Amino acid sequence: MFRPHSKLPRPPEELRRSISNFVCHSQGTPYRLQPLAPGSTSWNEEESRRNFEATLRFVVPGDPLASWLLTMPLAAEAGGVAFHPGGKHWSSQDDPEWQTLAAWIRGAK
C-alpha cells in the first residue's frame, strides 16, 4: 500500500466532487470513504479531511500511473490494472475526471 505524502496540494473543488462518485467505497473495502449523512449531498470539513487522508494512501505524488486511485478504476487497455472488484470507472486516460485527478497527483494547483 502507498504511504501518505505531504507533497500534494490541497485538492481542488473538482477533485472533492469527483471523489463523491466513489460512494461504493464507504464500507467493505480497503479504500474507505466517510459515508454521507442521511439527506446530505456533501461531506463536512472533518469528513472531507478524513476522505483526503484515506485517498492519500492510494496516491504516489507526481506519478498518476503508479497511483492506485487512478489505475484501479481505469480500463486495463488504457493503462489500468487488470482487475478492480468495483468494475472500471474510466475507459480512457482522456476522461476529464481522470485528467483532473491526474493533474492533482502531478501537483498542479
Side-chain angles (χ1 to χ4, degrees):
M1 214 50 69
F2 301 115
R3 294 177 168 253
H5 295 276
S6 60
K7 295 179 182 178
L8 292 170
R10 179 177 171 83
E13 187 58 34
E14 310 87 69
L15 172 61
R16 292 171 75 176
R17 282 195 303 270
S18 70
I19 288 175
S20 69
N21 289 324
F22 299 109
V23 293
C24 62
H25 283 277
S26 63
Q27 58 187 348
T29 172
Y31 179 35
R32 186 141 327 145
L33 297 177
Q34 299 297 302
L36 286 172
S40 293
T41 58
S42 63
W43 291 285
N44 64 33
E45 192 62 32
E46 175 63 18
E47 292 164 334
S48 292
R49 183 189 61 75
R50 287 181 183 171
N51 287 341
F52 179 71
E53 290 171 358
T55 300
L56 289 178
R57 295 187 348 216
F58 298 92
V59 169
V60 176
D63 195 350
L65 289 175
S67 300
W68 282 9
L69 180 68
L70 289 181
T71 59
M72 288 293 285
L74 178 65
E77 57 274 7
V81 298
F83 178 73
H84 176 231
K88 297 300 182 174
H89 185 72
W90 303 296
S91 60
S92 167
Q93 292 180 31
D94 294 327
D95 183 285
E97 187 176 76
W98 196 95
Q99 286 291 317
T100 297
L101 291 166
W104 171 67
I105 290 170
R106 282 191 293 273
K109 297 189 182 199

